[in-house]
Amino acid sequence: MSQIIIQGGRRLEGTLTVQGAKNSVLPVLAATIIHPGRTVLHGCPRLSDVEASIRILRHLGCRADWEGEDLVVDAAHLNRWDVPDDLMREMRSSVIFLGAILARLGWADLSYPGGCELGPRPIDLHLSALRRLGVCVRETGGNLSCEAGRMAGREIALSLPSVGATENAILAACGAEGETLIINAAREPEIMDLQRFLRAIGCQVKGAGSSTVCILGRQRTHDAEFTVMPDRIVAATYLSAAAAAGGEVELQRVDYRHLSTVTAALHEAGCQITGGRDTVSLRSDGRLRSVRAVRTAPYPGFPTDAQAILMAALLKSQGATVFVETIFENRYRHVDELRRMGADISIADRVAVVTGVSSLFGAPVRATDLRGGAALMVAALTAQGETRISDVHHILRGYEDPVRDLRTLGAEARWE
Ligand code: EPZ
């Protein structure tokens, strides 16, 4: 499976069940070590980032095995507090294990997580949150040595609503004596899912989804089963694909509310969208209009992870759309690849202007990062001819089997 080959020009029709959310299951997998027992995760997506997390869990002494569609973790025999460089480098978000290891053992030894394709990925807010809880963090030569001793609950004010820092603070606070209050917490739905998991194993966490999260640490935990929430960015990907290609699709296992800024943009572009209890349907004639400026922001604003994807859907729209990427420094790496297909996009720092063109042309392109790769798939569906997408390992970090899903919706796509 080294390339995804897509023949453009087909309308999309059909029904697809959306996979579990990568950005929920990764912190949940770290959270499993807080309970010295067994947890069963239903609806866990089979992603390379999940496999990387499984390798870390096994390195720490846990059992982590697939049982059919379920991922079963047993953290009873956790016996290490270090995550070596090779495992840390496999997945940048492995820093999320820091808070969980500290909560369980009081010690943690991780190598500094690498940067990534989106630009520098500092963890200063993670570390300042842990220091507030009394953790002694020594940063020496690319290594983080953390000694928590007896963490004490405190008020932690985040200078910006970082998703990862919020999650690390919540996890560490589960091991702190007394109450921790996280102020200016990120409000993403994935953090609500983490709270749901922690409460399922017996932790006392409340307020996730709001800017203030409260944790009462050192609770007795117990075995539990948990179903991972659906992936709102994967849902946004296939809605954008149908919007651009034209057609009528229904996505199942989607929480419509978590997608509202994306569906609002697609509606403004000319799609008909209806939301059910846990479904969302979209109908499009494939002739889209440009939309008002799209400015990415922390939830509930427009998700930065959907920026490239919506951009790809609008490449042939009437008019021009302005994108402002406020979250990451370097999140337009997909633009050069889209230009190879005939897109008209101009960039000035964090602003991109997409001017609709009459045609796109299939071309050999490379996935530059996870969501940039997804954007290439969306663009390929509306291009004339064949598009060959390589470096698909980026895409497989967050999409279980994009060819399977696109074919389910009627696209002409295959692996090669
Ligand atoms: C999470 O990354 C997601 N990853 C990202 O999804 C998502 O794009 C991002 O949140 C924003 O929604 C996972 O959940 C695994 P942040 P995270 O901390 O936690 C700066 C995808 O495509 N910052 O909210 O790393 C940071 O540089 C991925 O699925 C600091 O300055 O995001 C960035 O500019 C990509 N210091 C901004 O905050 C810190 O200590 C937001 O980062 C932490 C972050």
Side-chain angles (χ1 to χ4, degrees), residues 54-62 79-80 82-84 87:
I54 289 171
R55 282 189 286 278
I56 292 175
L57 287 170
R58 288 174 180 166
H59 168 81
L60 294 172
C62 303
N79 55 21
R80 300 183 68 130
D82 69 305
V83 181
L87 289 180

Side-chain angles (χ1 to χ4, degrees), residues 66-133:
W66 291 100
E67 291 182 12
E69 289 307 300
D70 299 337
L71 184 58
V72 181
V73 178
D74 187 332
H77 302 295
L78 182 120
N79 55 21
R80 300 183 68 130
W81 59 73
D82 69 305
V83 181
D85 194 51
D86 58 328
L87 289 180
M88 284 297 289
R89 285 185 181 281
E90 274 189 27
M91 178 181 68
R92 195 211 148 269
S93 51
S94 33
V95 71
I96 197 63
F97 276 88
L98 182 53
I101 296 171
L102 286 170
R104 175 75 184 274
L105 296 176
W107 304 80
D109 210 85
L110 276 63
S111 75
Y112 232 87
C116 79
E117 310 81 14
L118 307 180
R121 298 286 288 277
I123 58 168
D124 55 315
L125 300 178
H126 298 238
L127 301 184
S128 58
L130 297 180
R131 288 183 170 117
R132 279 290 290 165
L133 293 173

Side-chain angles (χ1 to χ4, degrees), residues 22-24 26-27 92-93 118 120-127 160-165 167 186 188 190 232-233 304-305 326-329 331 350 370-371 397:
K22 167 180 87 78
N23 291 349
S24 166
L26 296 184
R92 195 211 148 269
S93 51
L118 307 180
R121 298 286 288 277
I123 58 168
D124 55 315
L125 300 178
H126 298 238
L127 301 184
L160 59 86
S162 151
V163 171
E167 291 166 343
E188 272 67 4
E190 292 75 21
R232 59 194 172 99
I233 306 302
T304 174
D305 294 347
T326 70
I327 306 291
F328 288 110
E329 241 170 50
R331 203 163 199 178
R350 292 191 178 222
L370 167 54
R371 307 303 176 183
R397 287 188 43 226

Side-chain angles (χ1 to χ4, degrees), residues 16-27:
L16 177 75
T17 300
V18 174
Q19 69 180 59
K22 167 180 87 78
N23 291 349
S24 166
V25 76
L26 296 184

